[in-house]
Amino acid sequence: MIQDPSLIVFEDVNGAPVKMGEAVKIVETSEDGSIGRRFLGRTGTVVGLVYDDPEVQYPRDPLVRVRVEGLGEDLFFVGELEPAPDNAQVAKWGGALGSVT
């Protein structure tokens, strides 16, 4: 049996570049166009952190799991995200629309 060494976290991690519940905007930074076009330019909520290689990545370089209302969730590199404007409307944990604080 092969054991998966990945670490998936659903709570804040000291030293991580984002916090759970933080509003982020998905931006194009890669030249290969790896971001799903349906997510590009959208604002979502951070819902998890994935460390494929925890010994190397933890805590500063996770893949960030982001939930976008109406589109679902996907994983993004930290460089593909930027803080959302203060007035951004994103899905809260309960699913209602409003600013995440």
Side-chain angles (χ1 to χ4, degrees):
M1 181 170 125
I2 297 174
Q3 194 166 353
D4 183 358
S6 295
L7 174 62
I8 301 172
V9 182
F10 299 103
E11 57 190 41
D12 287 338
V13 172
N14 286 335
V18 294
K19 301 262 186 229
M20 292 301 120
E22 182 177 343
V24 293
K25 183 176 179 181
I26 300 151
V27 297
E28 180 71 73
T29 59
S30 65
E31 294 180 15
D32 65 1
S34 62
I35 294 178
R37 293 288 165 213
R38 67 181 203 211
F39 288 100
L40 189 58
R42 301 291 184 120
T43 299
T45 304
V46 174
V47 295
L49 302 174
V50 177
Y51 297 93
D52 292 332
D53 186 354
E55 288 185 26
V56 174
Q57 296 173 298
Y58 189 86
R60 300 194 184 283
D61 191 25
L63 286 171
V64 182
R65 187 172 179 177
V66 177
R67 178 181 300 139
V68 176
E69 183 70 24
L71 293 180
E73 298 178 3
D74 206 347
L75 295 173
F76 300 93
F77 293 106
V78 173
E80 296 172 333
L81 305 172
E82 62 183 33
D86 289 339
N87 62 350
Q89 297 290 305
V90 297
K92 285 191 170 189
W93 294 106
L97 289 178
S99 294
V100 174
T101 57

